[in-house]
Amino acid sequence: MSVLEIKNLQKTFGTLTVLKDISMTVERGEVVSIIGPSGSGKSTLLRCATLLERIDHGGLRYSNVQVAEDDKTGKCVYLPNNQLRKVKSMFGLVFQNFNLFPHYSILKNIIDAPICVQKRPKEEVVAEAMKLLDKMGLESKADAYPYQLSGGQQQRVSIARALINNPDILFFDEPTSALDPELTSEILKVIRELAMEHMTMVIVTHEIEFARKVSDRVVFMADGVIVEEGPADEVILHPKQQRTQMFLSKIIAER
Amino acid sequence: MEMLPPLAKGLVTSINIFLLTLLCACPLGMVIAFGRMNRHLVINGPIRLFISVMRGTPLMLQLLVVYFGPYYIFRVSLAGYPPFLAVIIAFSINYAVYFAEIYRAGIQSIPVGQYEAATVLGYSKLQTFFKIILPQVIKRILPPMTNETITLVKDTSLAQVIAVAEMFTIAKRLANAQSSVLALAVAGLFYYIFNFIVAMVMEKCEKCLDYYR
Ligand SMILES: Nc1ncnc2c1ncn2[C@@H]1O[C@H](COP(=O)(O)OP(=O)(O)OP(=O)(O)O)[C@@H](O)[C@H]1O
Ligand SMILES: [Mg+2]
C-alpha cells in the first residue's frame, strides 16, 4: 500500500484556486522531487499534505489512514482532532527556515515533542536523538542552542527533529534555499544518505541537478496543476511538455 | 528623624499598591490582549475602544471615576467603600491595558514558523502557546515591562487624590506641617531606591533569559 495518496486535491485562498485537482501517490522507499516556477503551489501542496492547510476538496491518505475525503455532499471532512495528532507522527516536515525553537537546546528541540505529544519514554527518545545527532555529525552540539549553530547545522537538527518519530514519509520544502551555497551541499548529502536508506521523501527544490540525481520520480507543477511527471532523468533531460521544457531551459540559462 | 516612621508607613502602603496592581494587571492584561487579537469584530471592537479610552485619559481621572463614580453616576452609596480598593481597581485596569498592548506586540512578533513547526510536531494549541510561544514572548517583552513597572512605582503617588495615605500623601502633609521640603526630599529618595531595586530585579530576569537568542 502506498505511503501517501493525494486524490483530486483542490485548495482555494479566497478567490484564488492555488491547487486544481492534484493527484499524487508516493510508494514506500520512493524519493519524489517537486519542481516548478514560483507561485505554482508547491509549498501549498506540502502544507496541505502536512495538515498546515485544510484542503477544500479531495482525499488525503497516509498508509491505511484516510485523513480527509469528500463526503456524499462533496464536502471535505477530516478525521477528528485526537486522531489527527496520531497521524502527525506518520510524517515529518523540514522547513526552508528550519523553525527550530530558539529557547530549547538542540537535544530538547528533538526530544520534546515525542515525549510531550507522543508520550514516548524519555530514555528511549534521548538515546534515539543522540543516535540521530551522531548521524548528522552534531553529537557535540546536544546542549548548544540554535543561535550557536550555522544554518546548515540548524537544518540538520531540524531534519533530526523530523526523523525522531520514525515517520513513514519526510517532506522537505526548499531545504537549502535559506542557506549559503557552501552550506547547501552538507544538507544535500544528508538527504542523499537518507535516500540510500530508502527513506520515503517528497522534496520541493530548485536544485534541478540534485533532484535528478537523488529522486526516483520528478513532478513538474505549474499554475496549480501537475504538468508532467515521470522518472527523474526523463522529466529533467527529456521533458515532453513544452511548459516543462521552457521552465528547465530558463533554469539552465540562469546558471 | 521623627518623620521617618510615618514615611515608612506610607512607603509600605505604596509598596502594597504596587504589588497588588502588578498581581492583578499582569493576568488581566493577558485577557485583554487575547480579546484584542480575537478575529471577531464584536469582541475586538469594544476592546479596541476600551484600550483607546484607557490610554487616552489621565489615570488620575480614572481613579476619581472609580472612586466617586458609583455614587455620582449611579447614585449608589457603597458604605465603607475603601479608597484603597478604588486605587487597586483603577490602577489594575489602567496598567492591564498597557500590559495588554505589550503582550500583543510580543505575541505578534513571534514568527509564524514557530506555530507551524509546533503544529506539525503535534503540539496542541495550549501546548504550543505555553511551551513554545509564551517563553519567547516573555523574553521579548521584559524591557518594555520594566519601563511600565518603573512608571507604576511613581504613579502610586496619584493615590493621594482620594486621600490614600501612601508615601507622597504623608510627605506632603509633613512638609506642610514643618514648612520644609525635607520630607519631600526623603520621599523622593525612597522612590528612587524603590525603583533602583525594581530595575535590578528586572535586569536579573533579563539576564536569566540571556541563554538564548
Ligand atoms: N495563505 C495564503 N493566502 C493567500 N494566498 C496564498 C497563501 N499561501 C499561498 N498563496 C498563494 O498561492 C500561490 C502558490 O503559493 P506557493 O507558496 O504554494 O507557491 P510555491 O510553488 O511554493 O512558490 P515558491 O517557489 O516561490 O516557493 C501563490 O500565488 C501564493 O500567493
Ligand atoms: Mg514555496
Side-chain angles (χ1 to χ4, degrees), chain B residues 98-175:
Chain B
Y98 282 95
F99 289 172
E101 287 296 276
I102 294 176
Y103 295 160
R104 181 175 68 91
I107 290 172
Q108 291 180 341
S109 75
I110 304 296
V112 61
Q114 292 288 306
Y115 292 91
E116 293 181 346
T119 308
V120 169
L121 290 168
Y123 290 102
S124 69
K125 284 224 164 72
L126 276 183
Q127 282 175 323
T128 301
F129 183 72
F130 284 105
K131 295 185 63 110
I132 310 297
I133 306 300
L134 190 60
Q136 298 184 56
V137 170
I138 289 173
K139 181 182 169 82
R140 288 180 192 210
I141 65 173
L142 268 182
M145 288 297 278
T146 304
N147 282 338
E148 287 305 318
T149 313
I150 285 173
T151 307
L152 173 59
V153 170
K154 294 179 285 187
D155 274 353
T156 56
S157 64
L158 287 177
Q160 63 172 299
V161 298
I162 53 172
V164 169
E166 49 70 55
M167 183 162 61
F168 197 78
T169 316
I170 290 173
K172 235 173 47 181
R173 219 179 275 153
L174 287 169

Side-chain angles (χ1 to χ4, degrees), chain A residues 34-60:
Chain A
I34 303 178
I35 59 172
S38 183
S40 54
K42 306 180 299 290
S43 296
T44 307
L45 180 59
L46 285 205
R47 293 170 58 83
C48 287
T50 53
L51 309 179
L52 283 172
E53 302 281 0
R54 268 185 100 86
I55 65 179
D56 298 321
H57 291 292
L60 176 63

Side-chain angles (χ1 to χ4, degrees), chain A residues 62-128:
Chain A
Y62 281 101
S63 300
N64 55 357
V65 185
Q66 190 70 41
V67 178
E69 66 186 326
D70 287 346
D71 65 9
K72 284 182 210 86
T73 63
K75 203 171 145 279
C76 186
V77 281
Y78 275 74
L79 285 177
N81 270 332
N82 56 342
Q83 288 179 47
L84 286 184
R85 188 148 321 140
K86 243 182 268 151
V87 172
K88 281 176 180 171
S89 64
M90 302 174 85
F91 60 76
L93 172 63
V94 175
F95 296 86
Q96 184 174 343
N97 321 308
F98 334 133
N99 291 335
L100 294 179
F101 304 132
H103 59 303
Y104 282 174
S105 71
I106 298 308
L107 182 65
K108 183 141 189 196
N109 260 283
I110 301 173
I111 64 171
D112 194 65
I115 294 172
C116 294
V117 178
Q118 266 77 35
K119 312 281 181 214
R120 292 171 53 192
K122 183 169 178 188
E123 304 77 55
E124 171 198 308
V125 176
V126 169
E128 241 172 81

Side-chain angles (χ1 to χ4, degrees), chain A residues 140-192:
Chain A
S140 62
K141 301 287 187 191
D143 297 323
Y145 283 83
Y147 80 94
Q148 297 166 314
L149 270 56
S150 74
Q153 291 172 326
Q154 290 190 44
Q155 191 58 301
R156 277 181 275 158
V157 173
S158 89
I159 295 174
R161 181 172 73 173
L163 282 171
I164 187 76
N165 281 325
N166 299 311
D168 296 334
I169 181 169
L170 205 51
F171 297 94
F172 294 82
D173 192 356
E174 302 192 28
T176 60
S177 293
L179 298 176
D180 294 335
E182 69 266 26
L183 298 179
T184 300
S185 60
E186 60 184 71
I187 298 304
L188 298 186
K189 185 169 153 256
V190 170
I191 299 177
R192 214 172 291 129

